[in-house]
Amino acid sequence: MPSKADVKAWKAQLVAQAEQQILKLTDSDRFKQYLNTLAKFNHYSARNIDLIYAQNPQATQVAGFKQWQTDFNRTVNKGAKSIRIAAPIIKKLTPAEQKRFNTTDERAIVGYRYLPIFDVSQTSGEPVLSAKDFVKENLADHQNVTSLYNAFKDYLNQQTDLKVSEVPLATLNGAKGYFQPSTNEIVIGGDEPDIALKLKTLYHEYAHSQLHGLKSAFKDRPRAYQETQAEAVAYVAMQNIGVDTSNYSLGYVATWAKDQAVIHSALSEIQQVSNKVIELSDGLTKQLGLQEAPKEPEHDLKQLSAQDLNKSYQGLQQQIQQVTTPQQKAQFKNQLHEIHEEISNRTQKQLQAFAKKNPEIKQPDSEPDQSLKR
């Protein structure tokens, strides 16, 4: 079995590799182009964001009719229905109005007008980089992920003060799930077809609960920090069980953090939670039997035929190449050693029996030539 130091080094390595991969992505020319694109879009108030999503929940990138033409070289499609946002009407105040409104401000908002904007999906022209270019949502499914998701969800509901529930994805406004600090509740899109993405989302929201809950040390971190931390924990947890979510996770983190200093500072705080998630996952996978070795090596090796021994030996060699956790590798290597010892012992006995039956064959000297030693 691996030592505590080996396990600790493995966990630290996962976090360090995550940071390096994210930094590599944010340093790419394509990602810098994406940031330049984002800078061209207006930043809307919370009120206008609500207005946008109330009218078009699928909206991702919005701009005015002329802005699409001048900044992005795109045109609004004929017949496209605009999204309306509220724009303040600002008026210069006369001294009498300043006195009436009891203010010294020279200008004030005296009303609102509703301006038309359009989503990128309603336009045509040159391509516009978006987060979807860096966040590929289809993850490769993985054997036994379903059972691990269910076990993790049951554990949180039964063994912790968290409540995990599922709702239709259509009710989440494009999200895969969320954590609600006020109720200590995690909500997951239950009809997500990609089970690996579903498990990753549960890891993500669990990380939020541990890092950013009402009593958590990092609850007041900016949103970019929080999303960077939660998704990095999810990425590390999935890597630990052998599922690569880099196409989704690294892009997700990069599009939130955008700045390498934010990435480094945010990730420096997640080690403890990452370790906790890894230990929890390892415990659940062991309970589910997902880390058990093939049955053959567990049998009495002396009862196996030479052919079965060789099959077990070859099977374990393949398993060692495929597994990703140090615990699994150590387990398989121990069993590989036991089979190797049994094969070696049998070979020695066969050679000794052959020598007894054929005494005319000269045996090797008990003290071989020292020059042959290495």
Side-chain angles (χ1 to χ4, degrees):
M1 294 297 293
S3 65
K4 289 184 178 180
D6 290 337
V7 174
K8 184 178 180 180
W10 165 254
K11 294 172 183 176
Q13 181 184 0
L14 285 176
V15 176
Q17 287 177 344
E19 179 174 2
Q20 290 305 311
Q21 291 299 316
I22 298 165
L23 291 176
K24 183 178 179 181
L25 175 61
T26 56
D27 200 39
S28 68
D29 289 338
R30 185 170 175 79
F31 193 78
K32 290 174 182 176
Q33 291 173 7
Y34 164 69
L35 295 183
N36 289 334
T37 300
L38 282 185
K40 295 179 182 178
F41 286 100
N42 294 326
H43 297 284
Y44 294 104
S45 66
R47 178 186 178 186
N48 275 331
I49 290 174
D50 289 340
L51 282 173
I52 291 169
Y53 282 102
Q55 297 168 78
N56 185 352
Q58 277 68 52
T60 57
Q61 295 173 305
V62 293
F65 189 95
K66 289 185 178 179
Q67 188 183 8
W68 277 120
Q69 293 179 326
T70 56
D71 288 351
F72 303 101
N73 200 21
R74 294 177 68 87
T75 55
V76 175
N77 298 334
K78 187 176 181 179
K81 184 179 179 181
S82 66
I83 301 168
R84 296 282 173 164
I85 59 169
I89 301 172
I90 301 175
K91 178 184 176 182
K92 186 176 181 179
L93 301 178
T94 64
E97 288 172 327
Q98 287 178 320
K99 184 176 181 180
R100 178 155 50 94
F101 295 133
N102 192 26
T103 181
T104 58
D105 294 338
E106 292 184 357
R107 294 176 178 272
I109 297 174
V110 295
Y112 289 88
R113 64 182 185 278
Y114 289 89
L115 300 180
I117 58 173
F118 299 87
D119 183 58
V120 62
S121 62
Q122 300 173 294
T123 66
S124 303
E126 292 186 2
V128 179
L129 283 175
S130 70
K132 289 184 178 180
D133 290 293
F134 302 93
V135 180
K136 310 279 190 292
E137 294 193 356
N138 57 318
L139 303 179
D141 206 344
H142 188 268
Q143 185 181 7
N144 297 318
V145 166
T146 300
S147 55
L148 180 54
Y149 169 82
N150 290 329
F152 188 26
K153 183 179 70 169
D154 291 344
Y155 169 84
L156 295 178
N157 276 324
Q158 298 167 13
Q159 305 295 326
T160 75
D161 59 354
L162 285 164
K163 178 184 177 183
V164 182
S165 60
E166 295 185 354
V167 299
L169 281 169
T171 65
L172 295 177
N173 291 328
K176 302 296 181 183
Y178 65 85
F179 167 63
Q180 182 60 48
S182 61
T183 58
N184 212 31
E185 181 182 11
I186 291 173
V187 177
I188 302 294
D191 52 344
E192 169 58 56
D194 189 332
I195 189 61
L197 182 53
K198 194 174 178 181
L199 175 61
K200 184 217 67 68
T201 302
L202 184 54
Y203 279 134
H204 177 105
E205 303 308 335
Y206 175 71
H208 272 313
S209 75
Q210 301 302 294
L211 286 163
H212 313 124
L214 294 179
K215 298 180 181 179
S216 303
F218 310 127
K219 63 182 176 64
D220 296 325
R221 293 291 186 270
R223 182 74 185 279
Y225 268 62
Q226 293 187 5
E227 294 304 324
T228 297
Q229 291 175 326
E231 189 62 23
V233 169
Y235 172 72
V236 166
M238 295 296 281
Q239 285 283 98
N240 182 62
I241 64 170
V243 182
D244 183 10
T245 67
S246 57
N247 279 343
Y248 184 98
S249 296
L250 301 186
Y252 182 95
V253 171
T255 53
W256 264 105
K258 301 185 181 73
D259 184 271
Q260 295 194 352
V262 170
I263 293 169
H264 182 72
S265 298
L267 296 193
S268 67
E269 298 175 343
I270 71 166
Q271 188 73 56
Q272 184 176 355
V273 172
S274 294
N275 291 348
K276 183 177 180 180
V277 173
I278 290 172
E279 289 170 5
L280 178 57
S281 294
D282 285 346
L284 291 173
T285 53
K286 286 176 183 176
Q287 289 178 22
L288 294 167
L290 305 185
Q291 290 191 12
E292 290 180 0
K295 292 182 179 179
E296 292 83 359
E298 296 175 0
H299 295 161
D300 185 354
L301 298 180
K302 291 181 172 54
Q303 301 300 318
L304 294 178
S305 66
Q307 184 179 6
D308 287 337
L309 273 177
N310 285 329
K311 284 183 179 179
S312 295
Y313 191 89
Q314 293 171 1
L316 282 169
Q317 284 182 317
Q318 293 177 353
Q319 290 279 357
I320 290 172
Q321 296 297 322
Q322 294 172 359
V323 298
T324 58
T325 68
Q327 294 94 328
Q328 290 173 310
K329 283 196 175 183
Q331 185 178 8
F332 289 139
K333 284 183 178 180
N334 286 339
Q335 292 172 352
L336 193 67
H337 176 72
E338 292 173 4
I339 295 176
H340 184 272
E341 286 290 308
E342 178 61 23
I343 293 174
S344 179
N345 290 337
R346 289 190 188 186
T347 303
Q348 288 296 326
K349 289 179 180 179
Q350 290 171 353
L351 287 173
Q352 290 171 4
F354 179 82
K356 285 182 179 180
K357 289 181 180 179
N358 301 275
E360 70 279 7
I361 297 178
K362 185 178 179 181
Q363 301 300 307
D365 295 334
S366 58
E367 290 293 334
D369 187 348
Q370 294 297 313
S371 64
L372 298 179
K373 287 188 176 181
R374 291 189 178 180

